[in-house]
């Protein structure tokens, strides 16, 4: 676990070279690839649910916590494409917030 966390902190330090990236206070490392019972997972819309549920899952918490994954993709749920596209969308959202905070540029 320490090696995985170290790689993540190192990657963030490379992305933000002028900031001191602190070690996380708590982590969880999954091992789905070696779990014989998990075998992966994906979301589904339960009976009575709508695409709005995917949008709700994608909503950020303030300007600090952003979500991505196939469970946040209304157009491509339960797919790798949905996970990828939602990651790109979350990255753009993070970039807009950081640009606004660091340079005073408009968020839109």
């Amino acid at each position: 676990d320490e090696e995985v966390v170290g790689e993540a902190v190192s990657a963030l330090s490379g992305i933000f070279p002028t900031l001191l990236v602190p070690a996380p206070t708590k982590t969880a490392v999954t091992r789905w690839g070696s779990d014989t019972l998990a075998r992966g997972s994906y979301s589904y819309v339960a009976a009575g649910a709508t695409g709005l549920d995917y949008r709700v899952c994608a909503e950020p918490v303030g300007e600090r916590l952003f979500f991505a994954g196939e469970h946040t993709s209304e157009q491509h749920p339960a797919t790798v494409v949905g996970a990828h596209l939602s990651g790109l969308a979350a990255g753009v959202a993070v970039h807009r917030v950081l640009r606004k905070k660091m340079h005073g540029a408009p968020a839109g």
Side-chain angles (χ1 to χ4, degrees):
D1 290 3
E2 289 180 20
E3 182 179 352
V4 173
V5 172
E7 289 176 13
V9 171
S10 178
L12 288 170
S13 296
I15 294 169
F16 304 105
T18 61
L19 300 177
L20 174 62
V21 178
T25 57
K26 186 174 181 181
T27 62
V29 178
T30 61
R31 290 181 173 71
W32 285 22
S34 61
D35 185 338
T36 59
L37 300 176
R39 303 273 188 207
S41 179
Y42 60 90
S43 64
Y44 70 97
V45 178
T50 69
L52 176 62
D53 295 313
Y54 288 104
R55 278 186 257 157
V56 169
C57 286
E59 289 179 6
V61 177
E63 293 185 335
R64 294 186 55 92
L65 182 60
F66 297 82
F67 298 97
E70 52 80 26
H71 67 288
T72 66
S73 175
E74 186 176 356
Q75 291 78 28
H76 303 283
T79 66
V80 171
V81 170
H84 177 76
L85 293 176
S86 72
L88 294 174
V92 167
V94 169
H95 181 262
R96 285 182 180 148
V97 168
L98 291 175
R99 186 178 67 191
K100 180 178 78 173
K101 287 184 178 186
M102 294 174 76
H103 304 293

